[in-house]
Amino acid sequence: MTVLQEQAPLMSARDVNKWLGRNHILRGVDMTVEPGEIVCVLGPSGSGKSTLLRCINGLEAIESGTINVDGDRVGFTTRKGQLYEHTEQEAALMRRRIGMVFQHFNLFNHMTALQNVTYGPRKVLGLPKAEAIKQGLDALDKVGLSLKRDSYPAQLSGGQQQRVAIARALAMKPQLMLFDEPTSALDPELVGDVLAVMKRVAEEGMTMIIVTHEIGFAREVADRVVFMDEGRIVESGPAAQVLDHPANERTANFLRHVK
């Protein structure tokens, strides 16, 4: 009889602490994300949600604890039994496996949608131009913007710009996608298109960590909801359980104000 080995988490954070000056931003955070899992992170402003994503992506260094993505430690490598901080090149190699979509789109204004999407595959992955373009067109098609390939950011709505940003992340073929409140900078009528794209990405099996205030969206797509407050994970569980029957009063109070 074959014994199936338990699959390791794609992302694991253990006792993660992060300080900014005297502010203790992350306080002993423990969190795992399984391959293919969709985790929505909720919490008030200043609770450490965005900082946690930036630490997972290696954009912020942590003071203590460990973060691993697909078995590799973020920010460090081991050589001959010794632990060394990543060089800039090693950090870039790690980061290419983790797509990130920010609140603000961070597109290159002097580049078309397609040029924005193909920049990473060409410059970071070293793909030939023709292959990068094919990959970029596929990514734009996934977000419903193939007809906008030659448009510049100034010619696109905020929702379209955010969808280009999602396509740009997808074009890098990441193992893990991080979304930092991707709809918070959008006019309300543009939010739905971006959320629809994220649902399609989720349905294709992408592992995702999503910081959001969109409770309805979290209810619909999340396998698990994590609630953070004051740098700690206060509650974590299946989406329906946390959103409909929160065990922690701080979670319940937050949800009463955002629903």
Side-chain angles (χ1 to χ4, degrees), residues 21-56:
R22 296 184 176 181
N23 296 322
H24 199 175
I25 306 299
L26 298 176
R27 301 168 180 249
V29 170
D30 290 307
M31 179 179 174
T32 60
V33 180
E34 304 300 323
E37 189 177 21
I38 312 299
V39 177
C40 283
V41 183
L42 310 179
S45 297
S47 59
K49 309 181 302 296
S50 296
T51 299
L52 176 60
L53 290 193
R54 292 177 65 84
C55 290
I56 292 171

Side-chain angles (χ1 to χ4, degrees), residues 107-116 147-158 160-161 164:
L107 300 178
F108 294 114
N109 291 324
H110 64 289
M111 294 184 181
T112 66
L114 182 59
Q115 288 169 338
N116 268 282
L147 296 179
K148 297 290 186 179
R149 56 176 288 178
D150 296 321
S151 297
Y152 290 88
Q155 298 171 312
L156 301 173
S157 70
Q160 289 171 333
Q161 290 184 58
V164 171

Side-chain angles (χ1 to χ4, degrees), residues 185-258:
L186 301 178
D187 292 332
E189 66 268 22
L190 302 176
V191 168
D193 288 343
V194 173
L195 294 181
V197 166
M198 293 171 63
K199 288 176 190 175
R200 289 200 296 272
V201 174
E203 288 165 359
E204 291 179 358
M206 177 63 71
T207 309
M208 299 164 66
I209 306 175
I210 307 164
V211 169
T212 183
H213 287 298
E214 300 286 343
I215 303 302
F217 173 75
R219 185 188 306 280
E220 189 171 346
V221 306
D223 298 302
R224 187 155 47 92
V225 166
V226 169
F227 179 74
M228 291 186 68
D229 189 37
E230 296 184 347
R232 295 183 175 90
I233 292 180
V234 173
E235 186 164 355
S236 175
Q241 174 188 310
V242 174
L243 296 176
D244 295 329
H245 306 287
N248 187 281
E249 178 55 33
R250 183 67 187 91
T251 311
N253 185 59
F254 175 83
L255 291 171
R256 281 194 292 270
H257 285 85
V258 298

Side-chain angles (χ1 to χ4, degrees), residues 61-239:
I62 59 176
E63 271 67 52
S64 65
T66 60
I67 299 174
N68 289 276
V69 174
D70 195 27
D72 292 326
R73 185 167 172 178
V74 175
F76 294 89
T77 190
T78 302
R79 291 191 291 270
K80 297 181 179 179
Q82 296 292 317
L83 196 64
Y84 295 92
E85 285 192 32
H86 274 162
T87 64
E88 287 189 16
Q89 184 178 15
E90 288 170 334
L93 287 171
M94 183 78 183
R95 202 172 292 129
R96 64 192 256 186
R97 296 152 57 182
I98 308 169
M100 188 154 181
V101 178
F102 299 87
Q103 297 178 36
H104 301 286
F105 326 121
N106 296 341
L107 300 178
F108 294 114
N109 291 324
H110 64 289
M111 294 184 181
T112 66
L114 182 59
Q115 288 169 338
N116 268 282
V117 172
T118 58
Y119 183 84
R122 291 188 67 189
K123 297 295 184 181
V124 179
L125 301 183
L127 293 186
K129 182 177 180 180
E131 189 176 345
I133 288 175
K134 181 182 182 302
Q135 212 157 286
L137 289 173
D138 287 344
L140 284 173
D141 186 57
K142 279 186 179 180
V143 302
L145 288 177
S146 54
L147 296 179
K148 297 290 186 179
R149 56 176 288 178
D150 296 321
S151 297
Y152 290 88
Q155 298 171 312
L156 301 173
S157 70
Q160 289 171 333
Q161 290 184 58
Q162 190 61 294
R163 284 152 62 193
V164 171
I166 294 172
R168 177 179 59 186
L170 290 174
M172 295 292 289
K173 305 291 186 184
Q175 296 172 283
L176 172 66
M177 284 280 285
L178 309 177
F179 294 85
D180 186 9
E181 298 194 38
T183 61
S184 64
L186 301 178
D187 292 332
E189 66 268 22
L190 302 176
V191 168
D193 288 343
V194 173
L195 294 181
V197 166
M198 293 171 63
K199 288 176 190 175
R200 289 200 296 272
V201 174
E203 288 165 359
E204 291 179 358
M206 177 63 71
T207 309
M208 299 164 66
I209 306 175
I210 307 164
V211 169
T212 183
H213 287 298
E214 300 286 343
I215 303 302
F217 173 75
R219 185 188 306 280
E220 189 171 346
V221 306
D223 298 302
R224 187 155 47 92
V225 166
V226 169
F227 179 74
M228 291 186 68
D229 189 37
E230 296 184 347
R232 295 183 175 90
I233 292 180
V234 173
E235 186 164 355
S236 175

